[in-house]
């Protein structure tokens, strides 16, 4: 009994982590006024970055470094395209997701000899703890509260939120809108990369992100763009994932039903409680000065 | 967004200027491709040049041209579906799920309700099209209702619907519709469709009437795509339906003041976008395979979004963009076959083309409107 | 008493493509002085002030600021530079961030430390509030504050940044006469405390009341600066337009005919559920009559129009046009019944900027057989002809009907919209803020057009934030307050005074009129 409960809790935390990190990444992006559906791509490249970095650097630390670098790089392209060149945010996201698929498969072929998956990486420990478990725990214990503090208790967070709500007003107060949005995108990129690292540090496979970036966005909306609430919302999906792994659940409920359940749940919640969910006012709107 | 056919002839200069962006996108991406191949082939310039020759050859071989068109066909339909929604200012990211369900519903018709006599093949084709559209529209219905009644943003609902679509398709293929017999291949699929339903190859249709190579992988679905694109073109540029959709996409408030009910138009645009999306993969399901499976080509919906954006949401632009994508893919296969250059390189290039072209077109549009303003200000009065 | 000069702008020049916005302007400001800057829209006031505030960079010229007792040249790269030199700006359109609290708005961009110490910030702000007399609740989302309160937050923002020089850009545009009085009290208090104020306005009586000195701008030039003692309203007006103004357009003498529009007990819900934006409103307009609606913005005028025009479902009551009940009918039907509408915000509601003039010329009637076969297939040649007629008749300056609307100047866009709405068959014209953002020339043109409508025996419903305009045009004026028409004034002989309207705009007998804070609160809460 206790064993089963612990199993459910542990797998809920591990399955929730990539989604929760993506949700937090979404919060940073959208609070600064940038819609980012490339979170999916960021999960994919950072997951690859970790495995390749650890595999060739013979250390989980190198994995961490390259995982985050990969996510940052993709975020940087999004920032340049949407903030500097002011193109439609969704367009850039679609393109980046395509690029993410292409670049990981290509590099996988060059580095590991096949397009669809990497070789097995055995460097998955930091301080003697499994990195997947560590990063997953960090989300709930450190990163989520820290994000809340950053957004609501610091001047950086205040400015970030202001830029997402009313960039023109922020601009009139001498706040550099572009710089703030770069900050939001890149911070979001780092956070989301941690999610990619928590995905599966042992092996990378094409398509490993499996839509978790999109689910992260859903969690963010369920959490009304609030950091802690968004992370908590991600546990709904994590919990459904965890349940699926249990033998007795598999015996009674069709697998497809459990897979679809959280998505259906989101739709129901969106239909019922949308009155409360309010996106940042300038979300997804490029800011062009002086009109 | 001023691409009424009448305006083009009046403003030929501006039409030419609007072509700058695609050209810039293609040139920059070709440069990037050059360096990528150089990287993969470890600095061998001759290999790289050979690679470009391989790509050039793709355009001269009849067989490859056939493949380009075959690959462009679903993308063009997908692009049209996305473009209809975009024109109304709706981001239907759900075309991906809509074609899974469209194909599924049409397949149910084919397996259980189709007319078995070959004489009624054409009627079956019409029903397949109608049921596919019905399925796609059905899958767009929930996001459309949620948007209209509750104001829920369609990007998030359609993303959810995409996930549910795949699971639904999988459930049907593994469960009620399963056609895998014991001892057969392990690939999950439905029963085979009756021959009176499956799409004929163009070769079979034209054979005996005029010379048409047998190896060209094109099916009747090409006609469906062509008719669809023509109809949508007329609707967008010559009817009030298109005009109202464009009003809504440009300025919903002003549309409302002009007596156009915004939520209704958005609702309709969303449903029609879904209906068209239902047709995206008919070629593969009813032409190539002849049965349904959730293991079919995925990602056509997202690719269509890119095609629509690169094609400026204009049906002709969409066709050209789809052909470009079809070319990149076909050339990609040839590169992999001849030089071992990973096919995924082309995904990378595709993504870059999207970003570069869109950036270039944003910049060009700004330049064009500046130019126009100047022209009007200087020319004011002397008309 | 004004003291030494603390700010000097010398030879400021700023060019935009095709326009010389500021042409070698010299401007200065003394300590403890209110210096009014007047001029028409497009005269260059805003450009000059944006340069002073660091939002634009001048092509030529220098700004001097008094630092340690002497004037030193300064260069402002951005607003932060200007703020650092003690300059603060209250924009005409409030620069408040909805979604953030009052206190967050005040400290935004000028936080005490990177980890915000909200307690210290609160103490500082409360001190400023006591000194200046500007009181607002600190812990609510600024969105729920009334317009008057939001303006106070704006001024507090500037004071919190220790500004010595305050730029107030048309601060009274959104206020009632009574609220304006309160603002003037605060301005005088700030002056006593050592602040200097640049007061931008085009309301001459206000300028005469509050300013110590007055500068007039016209077409990018500063044409004259004078102390108040030398100024008269007539003189300022003449300097503003370059010739004596006769905005006294003669009113045609028309005997009102049949009732065209009748509104009975109309009640309309606002965007907030349960709150009635329009509450039991009844009035009627006859043919050949102009009925003006006055009121502080946000008291239900917009919702009233939307309900008549079919954009909002009334909760209760009736809208009757020429005897036919059209309550709750959709807009396109109502337009067909003979209703034209010049919307308040042209860019938002009146035009599609990227569309051609031709496409813009048929909005709302695009389904008519004349413009579309079977209501579906568009007849491009008819549409072009129609657009050309509007362009000719209403003197819209454009090379052709095939250019996008965005290429036209604001005044020409508005002329086009007015022309379009007049050209369609109609009996009722709903004109909302028909002259907002246009220059005096276009204004006069539009006034004449509206009187022409009157002569044609149309019924006209006029909603305007410009009291002068209402008094000039209307035969009768209904004053709206908190969703009700609380007073109807007869203005047949132009006998109504602004003060009288202002009294009712604040609730008249219904409320004691010292509480500007509550205005509009009901709609927003």
């Amino acid at each position: 009994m206790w064993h089963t409960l612990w199993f459910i809790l542990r797998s809920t935390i591990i399955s929730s982590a990539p989604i929760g990190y993506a949700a937090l990444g979404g919060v940073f992006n959208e609070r600064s006024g940038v819609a980012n559906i490339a979170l999916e791509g960021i999960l994919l490249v950072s997951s690859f970055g970790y495995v390749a970095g650890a595999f060739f650097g013979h250390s989980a630390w190198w994995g961490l470094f390259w995982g985050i670098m990969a996510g940052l790089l993709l975020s940087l392209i999004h920032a340049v395209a949407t903030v500097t060149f002011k193109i439609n945010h969704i367009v850039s996201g679609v393109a980046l997701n395509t690029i993410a698929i292409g670049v990981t498969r290509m590099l996988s072929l060059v580095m590991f000899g096949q397009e669809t998956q990497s070789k097995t990486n055995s460097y998955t420990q930091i301080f003697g703890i499994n990195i997947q478990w560590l990063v997953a725990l960090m989300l709930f214990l450190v990163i989520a509260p820290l994000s809340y503090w950053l957004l609501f208790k610091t001047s950086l967070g205040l400015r970030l939120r202001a830029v997402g709500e009313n960039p023109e007003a922020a601009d009139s107060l001498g706040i550099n809108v572009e710089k703030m949005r770069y900050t939001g995108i890149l911070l979001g990129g780092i956070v989301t990369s941690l999610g990619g690292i928590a995905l599966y540090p042992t092996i990378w496979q094409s398509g490993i992100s499996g839509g978790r970036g999109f689910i992260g966005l859903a969690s963010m909306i369920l959490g009304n763009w609030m950091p802690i609430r968004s992370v908590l919302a991600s546990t709904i999906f994590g919990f459904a994932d965890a349940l699926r792994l249990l033998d007795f659940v598999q015996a009674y409920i069709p697998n497809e039903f459990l897979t679809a359940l959280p998505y259906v749940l989101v739709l129901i919640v969106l239909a019922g409680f949308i009155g409360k969910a309010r996106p940042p006012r300038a979300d997804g709107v490029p800011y062009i000065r002086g009109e | 967004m001023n691409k009424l056919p009448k305006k083009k002839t009046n403003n030929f200069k501006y039409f030419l200027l609007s072509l700058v962006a695609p050209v810039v996108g293609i040139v920059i991406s070709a440069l990037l491709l050059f360096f990528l191949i150089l990287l993969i082939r470890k600095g061998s310039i001759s290999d790289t040049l050979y690679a470009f020759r391989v790509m050039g050859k793709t355009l001269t071989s009849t067989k490859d041209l056939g493949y380009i068109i075959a690959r462009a066909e679903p993308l063009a339909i997908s692009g049209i579906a996305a473009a209809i929604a975009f024109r109304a200012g709706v981001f239907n990211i759900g075309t991906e799920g809509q074609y899974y369900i469209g194909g599924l519903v049409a397949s149910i018709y084919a397996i259980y309700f189709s007319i078995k006599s070959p004489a009624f093949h054409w009627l079956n084709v019409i029903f397949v099209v109608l049921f596919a559209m019905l399925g796609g529209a059905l899958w767009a219905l929930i996001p459309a209702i949620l948007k209209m009644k509750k104001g829920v943003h369609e990007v998030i609902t359609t993303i959810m619907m995409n996930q549910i679509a795949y699971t639904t398709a999988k459930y049907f293929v593994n469960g009620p519709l399963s056609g895998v017999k014991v001892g057969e291949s392990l690939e999950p699929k439905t029963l085979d469709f009756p021959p009176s339903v499956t799409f004929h190859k163009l070769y079979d249709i034209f054979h005996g009437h005029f010379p048409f190579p047998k190896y060209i992988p094109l099916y009747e679905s090409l006609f469906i795509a062509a008719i669809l694109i023509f109809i949508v073109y007329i609707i967008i540029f010559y009817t009030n339906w298109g005009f109202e959709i464009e009003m809504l996409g440009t300025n919903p408030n002003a549309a409302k003041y002009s007596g156009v009910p915004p939520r209704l138009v958005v609702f309709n645009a969303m449903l029609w976008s879904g209906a068209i999306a239902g047709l995206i993969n008919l070629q593969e399901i009813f032409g190539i395979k002849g049965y349904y499976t959730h293991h079919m080509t995925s990602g056509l919906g997202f690719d269509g979004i890119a095609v629509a954006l690169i094609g400026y949401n204009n049906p002709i632009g969409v066709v050209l963009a789809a052909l470009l994508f079809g070319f990149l893919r076909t050339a990609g296969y040839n590169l992999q076959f001849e030089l071992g250059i990973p096919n995924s390189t082309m995904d990378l290039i595709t993504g870059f083309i999207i970003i570069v072209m869109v950036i270039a077109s944003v910049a060009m549009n700004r330049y064009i409107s500046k130019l126009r303003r100047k022209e009007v200000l200087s020319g004011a009065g002397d008309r | 008493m004004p003291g030494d000069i603390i700010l000097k702008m010398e030879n400021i020049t700023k060019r935009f493509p095709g326009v010389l916005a500021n042409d070698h302007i010299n401007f200065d400001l003394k300590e403890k002085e209110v210096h009014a800057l007047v001029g028409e829209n497009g005269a260059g006031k805003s450009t000059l002030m944006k340069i002073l505030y660091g939002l634009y960079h001048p092509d030529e010229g220098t700004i001097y600021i008094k630092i340690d007792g002497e004037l030193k040249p300064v260069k402002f790269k951005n607003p932060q530079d200007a703020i650092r030199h003690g300059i603060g700006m209250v924009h005409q359109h409030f620069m408040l961030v909805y979604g953030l609290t009052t206190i967050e708005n005040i400290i935004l961009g000028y936080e005490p430390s990177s980890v915000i110490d909200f307690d210290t910030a609160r103490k500082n702000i409360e001190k400023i509030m006591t000194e200046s007399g500007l009181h607002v609740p600190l812990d609510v989302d600024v969105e729920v504050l009334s317009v008057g309160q939001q303006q106070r937050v704006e001024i507090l923002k500037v004071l919190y940044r220790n500004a010595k020089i305050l730029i107030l850009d048309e601060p009274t545009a959104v206020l009632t006469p009574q609220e304006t009085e309160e603002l003037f009290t605060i301005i005088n208090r700030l002056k006593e405390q050592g602040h200097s104020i640049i007061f931008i306005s085009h309301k001459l009586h206000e300028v005469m009341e509050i300013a110590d000195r007055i500068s007039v701008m016209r077409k990018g030039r500063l044409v004259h600066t004078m102390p108040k003692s030398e100024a008269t309203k007539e003189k300022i007006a003449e300097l503003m337009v370059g010739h004596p103004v006769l905005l006294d357009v003669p009113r045609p003498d028309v005997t009102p005919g049949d009732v065209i529009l009748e509104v009975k007990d109309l009640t309309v819900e606002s965007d907030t559920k349960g709150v009635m934006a329009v509450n039991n409103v009844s009035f009627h307009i006859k043919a050949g009559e102009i009925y003006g609606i006055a009121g502080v913005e946000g008291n239900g005028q917009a919702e009233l129009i939307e309900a008549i025009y079919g954009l909002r479902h009334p909760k209760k009551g009736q809208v009757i046009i020429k005897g036919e009940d059209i309550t709750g009918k959709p807009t396109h039907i109502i337009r067909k019944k003979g209703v034209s509408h010049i919307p308040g915000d042209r860019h938002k509601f009146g035009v599609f900027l990227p569309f051609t003039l031709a496409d813009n010329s048929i909005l709302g009637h695009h389904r008519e057989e004349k413009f579309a076969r079977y209501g579906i297939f568009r007849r491009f040649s008819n549409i072009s002809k129609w657009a050309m007629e509007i362009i000719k008749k209403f003197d819209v300056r454009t090379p052709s009907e095939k250019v996008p609307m965005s290429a036209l100047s604001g005044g020409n866009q508005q002329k086009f919209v007015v022309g379009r709405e007049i050209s369609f068959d109609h009996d009722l014209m709903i004109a909302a803020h028909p002259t907002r953002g246009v220059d005096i020339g276009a204004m006069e043109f539009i006034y004449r057009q509206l009187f022409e409508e009157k002569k044609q025996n149309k019924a006209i419903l006029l909603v305007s934030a410009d009291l002068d305009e209402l008094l000039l045009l209307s035969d009768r004026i209904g004053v709206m307050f908190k969703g009700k028409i609380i007073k109807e004034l007869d203005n047949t002989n132009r006998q109504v005074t602004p003060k009288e309207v202002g009294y009712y705009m604040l609730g008249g007998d219904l409320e004691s009129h010292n509480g500007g804070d509550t205005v509009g609160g009901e709609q927003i809460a």
Side-chain angles (χ1 to χ4, degrees), chain A residues 1-12 133 239 242-243 245-248:
Chain A
M1 178 66 192
W2 289 115
H3 183 76
T4 311
L5 280 183
W6 168 243
F7 177 80
I8 293 178
L9 180 69
R10 195 186 145 94
S11 15
T12 299
W133 178 235
F239 184 63
L243 277 188
L245 300 173
L246 295 174
D247 294 337
F248 66 88

Side-chain angles (χ1 to χ4, degrees), chain B residues 2 6-7 10 237-241 243-244 246-247 250-251 253-259 372-373 376 383, chain C residues 309 311 341 347-349 351-352 354-356 364 366-367 372 375-376 378 380 396 398 402 404 406 408:
Chain B
N2 299 290
K6 280 182 71 96
K7 290 170 201 159
N10 273 304
F237 292 122
Y238 291 93
T239 72
N240 269 328
W241 296 322
F243 187 48
E244 289 185 358
E246 189 143 352
M247 279 162 86
T250 311
N251 183 347
N253 285 312
K256 212 166 88 173
Y257 271 69
S258 309
R372 280 210 122 112
R373 220 188 150 98
V376 170
R383 58 154 202 268
Chain C
Y309 192 55
L311 294 172
H341 178 27
H347 283 174
K348 207 166 161 197
F349 304 116
V351 296
F352 294 86
F355 287 14
T356 59
H366 54 277
R367 280 175 177 265
I376 293 170
R378 310 184 62 208
F380 292 104
V396 180
T398 171
K402 293 209 167 59
S406 57
L408 265 60

Side-chain angles (χ1 to χ4, degrees), chain B residues 261-281:
Chain B
R263 289 194 292 187
L264 191 67
V265 175
V266 164
F267 184 81
N268 286 338
M270 189 84 186
L271 282 197
W272 281 108
S273 170
I276 294 171
L279 302 172
I280 291 175
N281 213 18

Side-chain angles (χ1 to χ4, degrees), chain C residues 111-140:
Chain C
E111 302 86 355
S113 47
S114 49
V115 178
I116 300 171
D117 178 356
F118 279 101
D119 292 333
T120 313
R122 184 184 307 272
K123 267 181 215 138
N124 289 339
I125 294 168
E126 276 166 358
K127 189 163 152 258
I128 298 170
M129 294 209 290
T130 331
E131 280 170 10
S132 62
L134 294 156
H135 290 283
V136 277
L138 284 180
D139 292 306
V140 297

Side-chain angles (χ1 to χ4, degrees), chain C residues 446-497:
Chain C
I446 290 167
Y447 289 166
R448 287 186 193 284
Q449 291 300 333
L450 287 177
F451 278 144
E452 193 56 37
E453 287 271 279
K454 184 179 158 78
K455 271 194 228 161
Q456 306 282 326
N457 270 315
K458 314 281 187 203
I460 297 152
L461 174 61
L462 173 70
V463 175
S464 177
D466 185 341
L467 268 188
D468 299 336
E469 178 170 303
L470 278 172
L471 298 176
L472 182 77
L473 298 174
S474 317
D475 299 299
R476 283 184 294 144
I477 295 173
V479 188
M480 273 192 98
F481 177 74
K482 290 193 176 173
K484 295 192 157 105
I485 293 193
I486 58 163
K487 183 74 185 175
E488 210 174 271
L489 300 159
D490 183 12
N491 192 38
T492 328
N493 301 311
R494 289 187 179 162
Q495 66 268 50
V496 178
T497 64

Side-chain angles (χ1 to χ4, degrees), chain A residues 43 59 67 166 185 197 206 223 234 254:
Chain A
L43 285 181
S59 143
N166 187 346
I185 296 173
I197 291 163
S206 172
S234 71

